[in-house]
């Protein structure tokens, strides 16, 4: 919709002052002329007395000639004196006002969400692997695992340096890491103005690029088709009492690792490949102004998605380590998610057709409830995909043949939003108010932050579409209700809970000091602790010597209880996927509500929904 400026009326008004001399000016000129004429000859006494008047009166009345006016000297002195006194008083008052301390109202102080956002992004700096940039800003981190890939003789991918460590260990799991990057990219696409206002836009884009550059190393990104990709670097299997040095048995700073780090490849991993495709496609929109890099990401995303469709299978099937740490329950949700992102990145309708295929949606669980329905996580992206495609219906309304399934996704999104509200009983809440999206199981916060992001984002979608709210059955709820839900959950995480503890490290005064994290728990003191040498730092009751700023720990239990114990990862371990959801929720809630979303950037590659009407025919001539 175009907006037109108002058409200015009239033209400039000009006054020609060249001939505007007043009668007073002309009479004064005549007086000057007369005086000059009379001064050319001497005057006698009678004429002098006639012109000057009595000499006594001249002494009593004294005048000051200011050129343009003649005034009484007494009035002149009083006027000048009054002006000087007034100026002195004004200066004195100004001096007092400037020296008295006062509150500046020019800029409102940053809200808690913006303050926490600065810290939450720092966690990704602490998780970087490989050769670090000079401005990484985490004093206790250094270059680490720079020979990943090269040290594994069986790997065909020799340069696997870079990327992010998953959590408190040094394993690089591509499945949760790519989900984390997709979430960060989504938040940047929607809320770039808020990142800009917080001064974090360049920082978050740099984080996304660090992840994207690494993913491009994990498969043949220049090819049109591939038959394998890297799923994981490093190992953490300690089952059966294994004492082989690896990333879970050892407790070492990443900078000191000297044991082998195996590379895990997969050739049938639809879920992993489709999630990585989503990550690269979303990043290509973030970097759309860098055409060459954006096209490289799009090409890689297409290659990965083709591989995911051709070589069907779960990446964690079998006895791989992935099934222990990040088991994927299905790949159908990644097909919908990856297809949606590739459609937005390319504008190619074939991806939209795939993402809206009823059979795929049915396999992904879009038409039934279940205990975990509506819970967005690194394993199940269905809720996120439904919100993402509801956006298409809200703003572009593509109609046939997509309308029916898009309407279904939109309705399901409404049901998911209803399930977040306290009045509904889909999910329990702790006494302190934390929603139990994982039904009381450990590590709840990663699911809570994803829900807070989706709720705020959907409320902003409705606001941008001039829709005041949505229906839950016969009841209508305003968009503010969704925003309030998100605020209560994030406020809980930031310290408004029964323990008065912030679960984001470095935010507030009371936060976990024994985070389950190798790098943070071992001092940087020029001593290299070997595999078992670091155990003393793992088992000590002393606080971590290094503060891992911005790390959101796993969280409290279902009774709002929390144990700040390093060895209990169910309470104190942070993860990439958890922090990505936190960043998304914080930026969505930060700043002024009126800022809202960027409606257009996500659609930048999408062609017009309907053909352009033909030009009008030429005027008829007889």
């Amino acid at each position: 919709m175009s907006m037109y400026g108002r058409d200015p009326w009239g033209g400039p008004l000009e006054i020609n002052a060249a001939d505007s001399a007043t009668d007073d000016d002309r009479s004064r000129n005549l007086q000057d002329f007369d005086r000059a004429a009379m001064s050319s000859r001497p005057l006698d006494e009678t004429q002098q007395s006639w012109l000057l008047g009595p000499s006594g009166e001249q002494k009593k009345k004294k005048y000051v000639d200011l050129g343009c006016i003649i005034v009484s000297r007494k009035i002149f002195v009083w006027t000048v004196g009054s002006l000087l006194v007034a100026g002195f008083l004004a200066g004195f008052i100004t001096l007092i006002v400037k020296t008295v301390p006062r509150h500046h109202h020019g800029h409102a102080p940053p809200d808690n969400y913006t303050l926490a956002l600065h810290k939450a992004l720092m966690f990704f700096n602490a998780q970087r692997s490989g050769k670090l940039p000079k401005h990484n800003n985490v004093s206790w981190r250094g270059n680490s695992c720079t020979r990943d890939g090269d040290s594994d003789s069986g790997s065909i991918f020799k340069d696997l340096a870079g990327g992010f460590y998953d959590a408190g260990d040094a394993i690089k799991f591509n499945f949760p890491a790519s989900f984390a990057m997709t979430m960060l990219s989504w938040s940047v696409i929607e809320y770039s103005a808020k990142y800009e206002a917080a001064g974090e836009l360049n920082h978050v884009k740099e984080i996304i690029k660090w992840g994207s550059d690494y993913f491009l190393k994990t498969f043949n990104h220049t090819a049109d088709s591939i038959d394998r990709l890297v799923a994981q670097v490093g190992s953490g299997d300690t089952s059966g009492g294994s004492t082989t040095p690896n990333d879970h048995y050892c407790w070492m700073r990443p900078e000191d690792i000297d044991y082998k780090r195996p590379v895990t490849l997969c050739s049938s991993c639809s879920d992993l490949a489709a999630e990585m495709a989503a990550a690269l496609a979303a990043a290509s929109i973030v970097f759309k102004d860098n055409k060459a890099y954006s096209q490289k990401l799009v090409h890689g995303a297409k290659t990965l998605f083709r591989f995911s469709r051709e070589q069907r299978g779960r990446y964690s099937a079998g006895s791989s380590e992935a099934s222990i740490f990040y088991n994927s329950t299905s790949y159908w949700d990644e097909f919908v998610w990856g297809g949606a992102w590739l459609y937005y990145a390319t504008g190619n309708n074939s991806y939209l057709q795939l993402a809206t295929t009823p059979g795929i949606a049915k396999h992904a669980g879009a038409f039934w409830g279940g205990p975990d329905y509506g819970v967005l996580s690194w394993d199940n992206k269905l809720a996120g995909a439904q919100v993402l495609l509801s956006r298409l219906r809200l703003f572009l309304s593509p109609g046939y043949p997509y309308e029916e399934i898009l309407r279904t996704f939109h309705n399901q999104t409404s049901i998911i939003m209803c399930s977040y509200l306290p009045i509904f009983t889909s999910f329990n809440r702790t006494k302190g108010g934390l929603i139990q999206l994982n039904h009381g199981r450990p590590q709840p916060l990663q699911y809570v932050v994803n829900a807070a992001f989706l709720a705020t984002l959907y409320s902003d979608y409705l606001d941008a579409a001039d829709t005041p709210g949505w229906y839950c059955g016969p009841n209508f709820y305003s968009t503010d209700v969704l925003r309030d839900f998100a605020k209560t959950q994030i406020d809980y995480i930031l310290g408004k809970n029964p323990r008065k503890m912030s679960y984001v490290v470095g935010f507030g005064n009371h936060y976990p000091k024994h985070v389950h994290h190798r790098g943070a728990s071992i001092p940087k003191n020029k001593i290299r602790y070997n595999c078992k040498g670091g155990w003393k730092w793992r088992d000590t009751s002393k606080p971590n010597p290094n503060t891992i700023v911005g790390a959101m720990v796993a969280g409290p239990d279902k009774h709002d209880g929390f144990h700040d114990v390093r060895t209990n990862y169910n309470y104190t371990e942070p993860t990439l996927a958890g922090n990505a959801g936190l960043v998304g929720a914080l930026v969505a809630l930060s700043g002024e509500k009126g800022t809202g979303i960027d409606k257009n950037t996500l659609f930048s590659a999408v062609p017009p929904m309907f053909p352009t009407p033909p030009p009008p025919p030429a005027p008829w001539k007889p």
Side-chain angles (χ1 to χ4, degrees):
M1 185 174 72
S2 304
M3 295 181 67
Y4 300 96
R6 282 181 285 178
D7 188 17
W9 287 37
L13 296 174
E14 296 181 1
I15 299 173
N16 191 343
D19 299 319
S20 61
T22 64
D23 292 341
D24 289 342
D25 293 332
R26 281 194 286 268
S27 73
R28 189 179 301 116
N29 292 340
L30 286 171
Q31 286 175 17
D32 293 341
F33 174 76
D34 289 344
R35 280 179 191 152
M38 286 186 287
S39 64
S40 62
R41 57 187 174 85
L43 301 175
D44 59 25
E45 257 183 69
T46 307
Q47 290 170 322
Q48 285 182 14
S49 64
W50 172 66
L51 284 169
L52 300 176
S55 59
E57 195 174 329
Q58 185 189 12
K59 288 178 183 176
K60 285 180 184 176
K61 289 191 177 182
K62 295 182 179 178
Y63 299 93
V64 177
D65 187 350
L66 299 177
C68 59
I69 192 171
I70 299 173
V71 297
S72 163
R73 183 178 294 276
K74 186 182 284 187
I75 294 172
F76 177 75
V77 170
W78 272 102
T79 303
V80 172
S82 300
L83 288 172
L84 288 172
V85 170
F88 174 76
L89 286 173
F92 185 66
I93 292 167
T94 304
L95 184 65
I96 292 173
V97 169
K98 284 197 176 289
T99 53
V100 172
R102 67 190 188 282
H103 297 291
H104 293 277
H105 298 291
H107 297 285
D111 53 84
N112 276 349
Y113 307 122
T114 303
L115 292 172
L117 175 66
H118 297 310
K119 296 182 184 295
L121 286 167
M122 282 300 295
F123 172 72
F124 292 91
N125 293 28
Q127 295 301 101
R128 277 182 169 143
S129 178
K131 186 177 181 182
L132 302 183
K134 291 179 181 177
H135 55 280
N136 197 50
N137 277 353
V138 182
S139 61
W140 44 274
R141 282 301 323 278
N143 300 338
S144 61
C145 299
T146 54
R147 293 189 62 237
D148 277 355
D150 187 40
S151 56
D152 186 331
S153 57
S155 174
I156 61 168
F157 300 97
K158 293 302 180 185
D159 178 13
L160 292 175
F164 295 96
Y165 300 126
D166 172 62
D169 51 40
I171 304 177
K172 296 190 291 197
F173 290 106
N174 278 9
F175 193 50
S178 50
F179 172 70
M181 293 302 111
T182 311
M183 289 292 284
L184 288 183
S185 290
W186 193 5
S187 72
V188 171
I189 293 164
E190 303 284 13
Y191 295 111
S192 60
K194 289 191 173 188
Y195 275 115
E196 186 80 69
E200 291 286 1
L201 183 58
N202 289 335
H203 184 196
V204 70
K205 287 174 73 172
E206 187 186 301
I207 291 167
I208 294 166
K209 189 172 187 301
W210 189 268
S212 301
D213 286 348
Y214 172 70
F215 294 144
L216 290 173
K217 293 180 176 184
T218 61
F219 68 102
N220 185 0
H221 70 268
T222 59
D224 292 331
S225 62
I226 56 174
D227 60 2
R228 72 190 82 179
L229 59 80
V230 175
Q232 174 183 331
V233 176
S235 172
D237 187 5
T238 57
S239 59
S242 170
T243 58
T244 304
N246 69 17
D247 294 293
H248 279 181
Y249 181 75
C250 299
W251 196 269
M252 302 173 71
R253 297 176 70 238
E255 293 79 1
D256 296 335
I257 287 175
D258 56 0
Y259 48 78
K260 290 182 179 179
R261 285 169 56 80
V263 175
T264 304
L265 300 176
C266 68
S267 55
S268 178
C269 38
S270 298
D271 33 23
L272 171 61
E275 179 55 69
M276 289 175 65
L280 295 184
S284 76
I285 302 171
V286 171
F287 295 104
K288 67 184 181 67
D289 293 335
N290 182 346
K291 195 170 182 181
Y293 186 62
S294 182
Q295 287 177 343
K296 181 192 286 189
L297 294 175
V298 167
H299 184 270
K302 288 178 177 178
T303 299
L304 285 167
F305 200 68
R306 184 181 296 111
F307 171 62
S308 78
R309 298 281 296 149
E310 290 171 352
Q311 302 294 326
R312 300 287 180 90
R314 290 187 305 116
Y315 94 107
S316 56
S319 59
S320 68
E321 283 194 12
S323 63
I324 305 171
F325 303 114
Y326 286 102
N327 185 48
S328 173
T329 49
S330 91
Y331 49 74
W332 299 101
D333 54 305
E334 279 85 13
F335 282 166
V336 182
W337 176 246
W341 277 114
L342 271 157
Y343 170 65
Y344 287 133
T346 65
N348 186 329
N349 280 343
S350 65
Y351 293 115
L352 180 60
Q353 289 168 3
L354 187 145
T356 55
T357 301
I360 293 177
K362 181 181 177 183
H363 283 303
F367 308 132
W368 58 279
D372 297 323
Y373 189 79
V375 180
L376 175 63
S377 72
W378 51 263
D379 177 29
N380 195 334
K381 289 86 183 191
L382 178 64
Q386 288 177 325
V387 172
L388 194 60
L389 289 166
S390 296
R391 188 193 209 277
L392 182 67
R393 183 172 188 256
L394 276 167
F395 297 132
L396 296 186
S397 189
Y400 181 84
Y402 312 110
E403 170 59 21
E404 187 174 348
I405 190 72
L406 289 180
R407 184 175 68 245
T408 301
F409 285 157
H410 195 170
N411 291 339
Q412 295 297 318
T413 296
S414 296
I415 292 169
I416 291 168
M417 297 301 152
C418 298
S419 74
Y420 294 158
L421 305 184
I423 195 169
F424 295 90
T425 56
S426 305
F427 302 104
N428 293 328
R429 278 168 164 73
T430 66
K431 287 184 178 178
L434 186 70
I435 190 170
Q436 295 289 283
L437 293 167
N438 64 338
H439 304 290
R441 296 189 291 269
Q443 307 170 27
L445 296 188
Q446 58 180 313
Y447 309 101
V448 174
V449 291
N450 288 343
F453 172 66
L454 288 186
T456 311
L457 182 61
Y458 189 65
S459 74
D460 283 344
Y461 284 176
L462 293 178
D463 286 341
D466 293 325
T467 306
W470 85 111
Y471 280 96
C472 295
N475 301 317
F476 185 81
Y477 292 91
S478 83
T479 55
D480 290 337
V481 174
L482 279 179
R483 204 173 186 83
D484 289 343
F485 157 73
K487 283 182 175 179
T488 59
Q489 299 306 303
I490 299 300
D491 289 348
Y492 180 104
I493 292 170
L494 295 182
K496 201 172 181 180
N497 55 60
R499 297 185 65 86
K500 302 289 186 287
M501 170 176 271
S502 163
Y503 293 112
V504 177
V505 176
F507 184 84
N509 298 319
H510 184 39
Y511 51 81
K513 302 292 198 300
H514 303 78
V515 180
H516 181 96
H517 191 278
R518 286 158 176 75
S521 66
I522 301 174
K524 183 181 179 182
N525 56 8
K526 297 184 179 178
I527 299 174
R528 185 186 167 281
Y529 297 95
N530 61 21
C531 177
K532 293 184 180 180
W535 286 7
K536 69 173 184 177
W537 297 108
R538 178 191 66 190
D539 301 331
T540 181
S541 59
K542 293 179 181 178
N544 287 354
N546 307 311
T547 303
I548 182 161
V549 173
M552 183 184 75
V553 295
D557 58 31
K558 59 185 176 182
H559 305 295
D560 297 305
F562 182 80
H563 299 292
D564 189 6
V565 179
R566 190 177 296 106
T567 50
N568 194 331
Y569 57 84
N570 278 331
Y571 289 109
T572 58
E573 187 169 25
T575 64
L576 277 184
N579 254 71
L582 173 67
V583 166
L586 289 172
V587 75
L589 289 170
S590 70
E592 297 294 325
K593 182 196 170 190
T595 306
I597 57 156
D598 175 349
K599 278 173 66 171
N600 299 318
T601 296
L602 188 60
F603 300 138
S604 54
V606 175
M609 284 287 136
F610 306 103
T612 307
W620 180 80
K621 291 181 181 179

